Amino acid sequence: MLFLFCHQKWQEASNRGAAILSYLGEQVPLIYCIEAEPQQGEEEQRVEERLLYPLECFLFGEDPCVGLEKLQQYSGSSSAQQCGRVFKEGETVYSCRDCAIDPTCVLCIECFQKSVHKSHRYKMHASAGGGFCDCGDLEAWKTGPCCSQHDPGTSVTMETDECVMDPGLRERAQMLFHLLLRYTTDMLVWEDTSELAEELKPKVMEDTYFCVLYNDEHHSYDHVIYTLQRAIACDQNQAQIYTGRKAVKRGTLRSCQQAKDNIRRNSEHIIQKPLRVEILHTAVMAHQTFALRLGAWFQKIIGYSVGLREVFCQVALEPASDNNKPCLISQLMLHDAKLYKGARKVVHELIFSSLLMDTEYKRQFAMKFTELYKQLQEDFICDDHQRNISVTALSVQIFTVPTLARQLIEEGSVIKVIIDTVMDMMREHLDSNQRFHFQGHNPDKFFRVQVIFHDLRYILISKPSVWTETLREKFLEGLRVFLRFLCCMQGMEEVKRQLGQHVEVEPEWEAGFSLQMQLRHILAMFQDWCSSDERVLLLAFQECHRALMSCTNQPFCSEPTDSYMCKQILHARLYKVSQEPVSIHLPISRLLAGLYVLLSLWVTGVYLYAFQVQLNFTELAEQPLRCVVLAAQVCADMWRRNGLSLVSQVYYYQDLKCRDEMFDKDIIMLQIAASKMDPNHFLMLVLLRFELFDIFNGNSSSKDQVLKQWNRLTEEMLYLIIIIVGERYVPGISHVTKEDVTMREVIHLLCIQAMAHSSLVKSLPENESHETWLETVISKVAVFKKPGVSGHGLYELKKECLKEFNPFFYHYSRPQHSKAEEAQKKRRTQEGSDKALRPPVPPPFCPGFSNIVYLLCCDIFIHILRRIFQKAVEDHSSRWTEPMIQRVWLLLLHTISLSSCSVSGLSHNASMSLRCLKCVVSAQSVQDKEKAERKRKAEAAKAHRQKIMAQMSTMQKNFIESNKMLYDNVPESSSQSDTNRVAVGPQQGVCSTDWGAQICILCQEEQEVQAQAPAMVLTACVQRSTVLTQDRGKTLSPKGCYPVFMPPDLAVGTHTGSCGHVMHATCWQKYFEAVQNTTRNRLHADLIIDLENGEFMCPLCKSLCNTVIPLIPVEPSKLNYAELTYIHVCVCVCVHVISEYDVNSVIRPKFSRSITEMLGVCATTVHRVGLQTAPNDLCPYVPVMSWNTCAYTIQAIEGQRRAMRPRLQLNSSLLCLNTQMGEFIYLSYRERLPVSFSLSLIVSLFLRLRAGVSGFSVESVKRGVLPFLRCAALFFNCLTGVPPPEELSESPESQLPLLCSYLSLPSNLFQLFQDHRDVVTTLIKRYPRKRNRLIDLPEDYSVLLNQASHFKCPNSSDDERKHPTLCLLCGVMLCAQSPCCQQQLNGEEVGACTAHATICGAGVGMFLRVRECEIILMASKTRGSPYPAPYLDDYGETDPQLGRGNPLHLCPERYRKLLHMWQQHCILEEIARSLELLNVMFPFEWQML
């Protein structure tokens, strides 16, 4: 055991570092990689004893336990203020919406449960991995930065660790940390696969090698297993072990090289890129493995003390002695893309636990990260792993810290660095005009480049409250670089209208809009930053305007010409959108519009004199106006030949995802131009760009197609004027707030229909923090309607807010506009109010935009109205449309309202408005006459119908009076008296149940149910069940095991249910054959129905069925009460009789051949499903299985009735009792079989009783026998057809005497049991029996998430993402959808849930995937379906995948619905229906769940 004292030799050595490395060089190869598959427990023990313990002894200078106690005495505490827990992929994290600085500030579940944020508005979501808990970070939270566990009270002592730390310990730690961190870094970046450094070479090196396989993101898990099975001839279980970074071969260099070639060759057969395989010497492999182990050791050691952590950070950031090399941590970051997944995680966790836990070292690391930013991102672009396991993901931990972000902007020019990095990577997409063109781009690479924009968002997420000169300078420097990037987007991917032939290949457009979506929040953030400082805003506006004027793609190349209309002259350049190229991408123009509005919030007019360039508003409005005209022409079907790509661009241009920085900003720029230009010139410019100038000048075409397009363009042009004049809900354009804007959006969304909270959130624009401000306004404008058992909660608009509805709301799409208008008209019709949808009065413009209203009084506007009204009064109806007149009416209302308000310059146009109104009246007069004529004809028709109905009513009354005697002789229907409602005994009542005439649901023909008639059948479903089991988890009987009767614990039974729909047997056979023929050709039909087992869907209700039950007429029968008293007869007699009894000998003479065949079909299905084996024709146990399903179904129905309602009544599931076994029992009595047969049936049914008797008191016996009596009543009701008493629907207390009367039993059960005490005593010992329910779930869903966070897979120790899944039948937590927990079931690999469902639910399962918040219903190895979880948020909605992240609480009604679904055996039916509705293209492998 010399290694226990080696640390003393290291202390005495002249070169301690060389001595330690020499020791590691000898010991590490002896511990690691001796075997291809080492025993981890033994290996870890050797590492602790031989390597880590000596290192700790050297560090502390004594026994580590003693040294640690001294260290804690010096420091006072070893706890840290910051949590720093590193999140795994899929782990649930929490963010407080009230207190978090930004959405990236999150807590782990332990800190959240102990924090004040639990009572706040919080969100929860699944982590992508790679982050850590921000508990204790003062800059991450407005309030409550620490949980109770990480209370800042310990921070005082922690900060003084450096002063009180023993100097010797500090010196040894510095030397050891530097040595081991350099060793770790060298080994992780080591590229020589066969040699080691001189100081690490052992005395003797074996000539053995490892063939090492590295997993990547290109090959799937199954691809790797397939490749290994073919390449190295291993089985599947062995191949599963080799996934990850594993040594798949140990041997000579030649044998390893051969294995490497085989793996690469076989992997290339799957995809073009082969698997990464390397050959490493065993010593190299050993030292690399130990280097990773040191990473975890470092985390443990620096967790002892802040002083040790500081020493480590100093060593990690210390400049290298060789000036050509970066520091150690920089070397690890630069080599990150070459490391495999496991090594990356170790390095990242080491950075988290050290450098990011201290403010100063976090700043230094951030500077290093910024210096290497470009190289790290280039490596990430070429990497095949996701961002969450890349070192570039650390940016979110650095750039989101407000103070650190300011320092990086001032000292590291981080904005410029990020944008330059993006620009360099996208330079390959520039065309000759220095504009982006993404045709033929690489989608994967382009996606990775766009991820870099997230870092820019992180930097800008918190605007500064105090500006310094350096911050202004560096921010404006970054803004200029950003504007150069936007110049490459300005006017990119121009389109030109296709004439004649349709475009052959539609251009690429998704990349441009994807880039626009990434910049959406960044553009808003830049504007937000500029708005916080006046100087920055002025200079930013100047830079933006300069960038716009310097764009190489400015369209002002033609010479301007003069255009004349109404004595007005417009000097503008000629341009037609329908003939010239046009681009929908104008980011600089839109950014300038946003900055202009922000300037208007400062002193009015300042922006005009901020720089010496005089603004040309005609040029500023040119390109936004072209985009609006392009959208109008696409709407007018003028660009059909350009394909769907342009239609999609226009859709996203006005869609929620892009409109705030595209369409809305174009409207703002047009409003700016309208407020500063001459109103006549502005409208003339609009007419020119809409290509309607000649139309309104009197030059028009008579072609119908052209007229339709012109009419549509005229509608869009008028709509644009309405928007420019009426849309004022923008802060800076009018005196409104963001809350007013959100409130207006919500009102118009709810005017369409009542909406759920999630739908409202999706329909509202989000800011950079993913907030919509919906919660601040929703209570003011809407009322909440709670959901029922299904569906979700809805918000309905308050009546007082309906007056704010504007039918020309500019954020409505065309379908939304139609729905909203229709809904409001319908509402007004129901209320009997005026149907006219008058728009509300808009708020007044701010002074800088007040001149916009003069558009409504200029000469060109009056000329436009006059021309439209002239067309309306002409005979040619094709020259005007109703929407055109509606828009003109609205503009006139705006004009009159402004005139009545005495707006300066508008009163002199009142006469022109009156003239327009006269034109309207004359135009509408013809339409009014037509409407009046139609109304007169409708009223005449209505009066005629009323006259005819009155005549018919009179005739009916006369007929009744004349035939009154016939009605008087009709006897009144009356039910049987209660005295005759007795099922058995001398007083047995009369059978009143009869099928009557039934209608076939297929052929719609009617037929009487008779014994010798063709069979009428019910659709039915037979399934195995454990609903009534008294021993959950018991191993079920193997296939083919024939039970005589069901065991007392009811471990598994066979349930038969029916939807109650009737068919002819022949019709069903034809339908079943047709289903088999058509379904075989359907894609993935086996997921819905199993044709091999005779499954089909009910033709009417689409319920899952696998057999049919023939209808048999019920005949009156008398049962001997005296014989029924011998209940002590042995059950074995019944077994002997049934086994020797020939059913067909009795059934054949009585029933038709068709009924006999259907009875056989039903019995065979029960046998096949119940015993999971098909019977032969002579199998004597078919009647036994029929009796078992009869008895089991009776008890299941009784349990359902007892849980849901007390009344006993016949339902479709119980109809099966009147057929196979019910008729068999009935015939046994009719043919005078042994009396013991019927009596034994009673005894056996009693054995299956589910009751709760505790003791032998009279009351307990009464409570205990009640379930049995209900079962017996159900049984004899079907056997004899005597209906039960009506009073059974009353309270349960009155049921016992009624049931006793119905069954001819004495109500004094005590006396009855005294007479047969020996028999009853045996039966009562089986009681009580529990009534099965689903497990109890916690009210707060975070409790379940907490349980899932502590879940450990029983078969795996890795940190890969797991899917904890809870069985709702028994409460077991399983590791689902993971290869580590797969099991063999009937020779096939299945997942943990599938295997568990076989034992727990006889193949049927109901599971809750905790981290996904989703119910999984399973019916077999190949069938399953998702189902909403019974947890709802405060808005009455479920949250699958925790997408919204709102707090969730258990809904008892929905959980009760799940309980009833399980108890009523409806899981199979639910799965089949959901799969029938869902078009499955790529089926889910349910057996692997």
Side-chain angles (χ1 to χ4, degrees), residues 220-433:
S220 68
Y221 182 82
D222 293 333
H223 289 169
V224 176
I225 293 178
Y226 171 79
T227 300
L228 291 176
Q229 286 179 311
R230 296 193 60 181
I232 61 176
C234 64
D235 57 20
Q236 185 174 2
N237 294 332
Q238 188 71 24
Q240 290 176 356
I241 298 176
Y242 287 148
T243 56
R245 191 234 192 193
K246 295 290 184 179
V248 299
K249 180 71 176 179
R250 186 177 189 271
T252 63
L253 179 63
R254 181 177 180 181
S255 62
C256 291
Q257 183 65 44
Q258 184 178 3
K260 174 182 177 180
D261 295 339
N262 290 337
I263 293 174
R264 292 177 62 88
R265 183 171 57 254
N266 283 280
S267 61
E268 284 179 333
H269 292 165
I270 302 172
I271 62 175
Q272 293 299 319
K273 189 172 183 179
L275 284 167
R276 178 188 170 190
V277 187
E278 293 183 1
I279 299 176
L280 300 179
H281 193 278
T282 52
V284 176
M285 181 78 168
H287 282 284
Q288 288 185 348
T289 306
F290 180 64
L292 288 183
R293 180 62 182 86
L294 282 176
W297 181 78
F298 274 129
Q299 295 181 51
K300 182 184 75 170
I301 295 298
I302 64 179
Y304 291 147
S305 167
V306 172
L308 292 175
R309 189 178 68 200
E310 289 180 350
V311 171
F312 179 85
C313 294
Q314 293 170 1
V315 170
L317 295 170
E318 182 182 4
S321 56
D322 187 356
N323 294 330
N324 296 326
K325 286 187 177 182
C327 63
L328 294 177
I329 202 66
S330 297
Q331 292 183 43
L332 288 174
M333 287 194 295
L334 290 172
H335 203 76
D336 182 80
K338 298 179 182 178
L339 299 177
Y340 62 95
K341 191 173 181 179
R344 293 187 192 190
K345 290 184 176 180
V346 172
V347 174
H348 298 170
E349 291 177 2
L350 184 59
I351 294 174
F352 288 147
S353 60
S354 58
L355 297 169
L356 299 185
M357 290 290 106
D358 184 272
T359 304
E360 174 58 26
Y361 295 112
K362 190 174 186 178
R363 185 192 67 81
Q364 296 182 27
F365 174 75
M367 294 301 300
K368 296 288 185 183
F369 184 84
T370 305
E371 292 173 5
L372 304 174
Y373 185 84
K374 183 177 180 180
Q375 182 62 47
L376 296 178
Q377 293 293 347
E378 289 177 352
D379 294 341
F380 169 69
I381 297 301
C382 302
D383 192 14
D384 65 334
H385 286 77
Q386 299 299 322
R387 178 177 167 86
N388 62 330
I389 53 174
S390 169
V391 73
T392 58
L394 298 180
S395 60
V396 69
Q397 310 298 335
I398 302 170
F399 294 159
T400 55
V401 182
T403 57
L404 194 54
R406 309 290 184 273
Q407 292 180 355
L408 292 177
I409 293 175
E410 294 179 352
E411 302 175 15
S413 301
V414 66
I415 297 178
K416 180 178 182 298
V417 170
I418 294 174
I419 299 174
D420 283 342
T421 302
V422 176
M423 192 65 209
D424 290 343
M425 294 179 180
M426 297 184 66
R427 203 174 297 279
E428 60 181 300
H429 299 298
L430 292 176
D431 59 11
S432 57
N433 295 323

Side-chain angles (χ1 to χ4, degrees), residues 453-454 456-457 460 482 518-527:
F453 286 113
H454 294 178
L456 190 55
R457 289 174 55 187
L460 301 174
F482 183 61
Q518 291 293 336
L519 294 176
R520 171 191 171 192
H521 292 307
I522 295 174
L523 290 166
M525 289 176 175
F526 269 110
Q527 297 172 51

Side-chain angles (χ1 to χ4, degrees), residues 827-845:
R827 180 189 61 80
R828 289 174 180 248
T829 301
Q830 293 174 350
E831 295 176 354
S833 58
D834 186 8
K835 294 183 181 180
L837 302 176
R838 299 179 182 86
V841 178
F845 281 114

Side-chain angles (χ1 to χ4, degrees), residues 764-930:
L764 292 174
E766 293 181 342
N767 65 354
E768 61 278 1
S769 298
H770 307 294
E771 291 290 342
T772 61
W773 299 285
L774 175 63
E775 286 80 4
T776 61
V777 302
I778 189 64
S779 60
K780 301 177 183 178
V781 300
V783 292
F784 181 68
K785 302 293 185 181
K786 292 185 178 181
V789 180
S790 59
H792 44 250
L794 295 175
Y795 280 102
E796 293 183 357
L797 191 64
K798 293 181 178 179
K799 290 186 177 181
E800 57 266 26
C801 297
L802 292 169
K803 61 184 180 181
E804 299 296 328
F805 172 67
N806 185 355
F808 295 97
F809 181 58
Y810 76 136
H811 283 166
Y812 274 158
S813 62
R814 293 181 66 181
Q816 286 178 330
H817 175 269
S818 300
K819 290 180 180 178
E821 190 172 355
E822 182 181 354
Q824 294 307 308
K825 287 182 178 179
K826 182 179 179 181
R827 180 189 61 80
R828 289 174 180 248
T829 301
Q830 293 174 350
E831 295 176 354
S833 58
D834 186 8
K835 294 183 181 180
L837 302 176
R838 299 179 182 86
V841 178
F845 281 114
C846 290
F849 293 88
S850 59
N851 291 337
I852 294 178
V853 297
Y854 290 101
L855 290 177
L856 302 178
C857 68
C858 66
D859 296 335
I860 301 300
F861 177 72
I862 300 301
H863 176 72
I864 291 173
L865 297 187
R866 183 186 299 112
R867 293 292 299 175
I868 292 176
F869 287 136
Q870 286 176 356
K871 293 179 182 180
V873 297
E874 293 177 357
D875 294 335
H876 301 286
S877 60
S878 60
R879 295 180 181 272
W880 65 278
T881 61
E882 184 176 348
M884 195 185 300
I885 300 301
Q886 290 178 351
R887 286 159 171 75
V888 171
W889 265 106
L890 181 61
L891 290 171
L892 280 173
L893 290 175
H894 275 298
T895 305
I896 295 173
S897 62
L898 293 171
S899 178
S900 63
C901 295
S902 300
V903 177
S904 176
L906 290 180
S907 58
H908 71 279
N909 281 293
S911 60
M912 296 301 298
S913 299
L914 291 175
R915 294 181 189 177
C916 294
L917 288 174
K918 291 180 180 178
C919 295
V920 172
V921 172
S922 62
Q924 294 292 326
S925 60
V926 177
Q927 295 183 5
D928 293 341
K929 292 180 180 179
E930 294 177 354

Side-chain angles (χ1 to χ4, degrees), residues 85 91-94 108-114 118 124 1338 1340-1352 1364 1373 1410-1411 1442:
R85 171 177 172 175
E91 186 174 353
T92 305
V93 297
Y94 296 80
C108 64
I109 190 167
E110 285 81 6
C111 293
F112 173 77
Q113 295 287 349
K114 301 174 184 178
K118 187 176 181 180
M124 51 189 178
D1340 190 348
Y1341 194 72
S1342 61
V1343 177
L1344 279 178
L1345 291 173
N1346 191 20
Q1347 295 178 9
S1349 67
H1350 293 92
F1351 172 74
K1352 300 295 183 183
M1373 188 78 77
V1410 181
R1411 287 179 177 167
L1442 297 180

Side-chain angles (χ1 to χ4, degrees), residues 211 477 490 574 590 611 936 1062 1136 1140 1276 1291 1320 1370 1430 1484:
C211 179
E477 177 190 25
Q490 182 82 5
L574 293 177
R590 291 154 185 162
F611 48 92
R936 186 189 64 79
V1062 183
H1136 176 73
E1140 297 182 358
F1276 284 106
S1291 60
V1320 174
C1370 65
F1484 182 79

